[in-house]
Amino acid sequence: GVTSLGCKALSDALPKCNELQFLSLNGNENIKDTGCKVLALALTYCTKLRVLEMLCCGLGDEGAKALAKSLPSCFLQGECDPDERKEALLDLRLNAFSNTGVGRLHRAWHQRGKGFKVTGLVISIESDCATRLHGDEVRSIRPTTFSP
């Protein structure tokens, strides 16, 4: 799997992938906060990104902070027609976020959605990747639609 060192190589490539729309790093438990910080900086170049999946990547509140800072720059920026529904998904389930980290991501996602319609932020506080999740075990922020 991808480690925090592998994230450096990936972050070097991401600025050249300005057409990237989907990135799944699911199950790379060794990315952790260190790798997430490096990736978050590079994600700012991915202005057409629609889906970022980082389920079970060993992320904590420092990773949440880094991603929250990058959100205003990535995910369908610069091409949003307010009359056209744009959908984006940031899926961060099965990471070790506290309520503070979840709140930071939630605020950043809502802020970046102003001015156009965006859906799909899914975060959980459940951190055991091997656990089967049931509806009452997951604290998630469900998809929301924003209006201009």
Side-chain angles (χ1 to χ4, degrees), residues 107-125:
R107 285 186 301 278
W109 185 260
H110 282 279
Q111 170 131 12
R112 63 152 307 281
K114 289 182 179 169
F116 55 95
K117 298 175 184 178
V118 175
T119 62
L121 173 63
V122 183
I123 307 171
S124 76
I125 295 199

Side-chain angles (χ1 to χ4, degrees), residues 57-89:
C57 287
L59 308 181
D61 287 346
E62 289 300 312
K65 183 177 180 180
L67 285 171
K69 284 182 181 179
S70 73
L71 283 177
S73 300
C74 58
F75 283 99
L76 301 170
Q77 295 300 311
E79 64 171 59
C80 294
D81 178 349
D83 296 326
E84 183 180 343
R85 182 178 177 164
K86 295 289 185 178
E87 292 189 9
L89 174 67

Side-chain angles (χ1 to χ4, degrees), residues 32-44 52 54 59-74 90 92 97 101 104-105 108:
K32 305 203 181 298
D33 287 340
T34 306
C36 186
K37 289 178 189 179
V38 173
L39 283 174
L41 289 172
L43 286 171
T44 61
L52 175 61
M54 293 185 74
L59 308 181
D61 287 346
E62 289 300 312
K65 183 177 180 180
L67 285 171
K69 284 182 181 179
S70 73
L71 283 177
S73 300
C74 58
L90 174 59
L92 300 170
F97 302 124
R104 182 174 279 137
L105 286 161

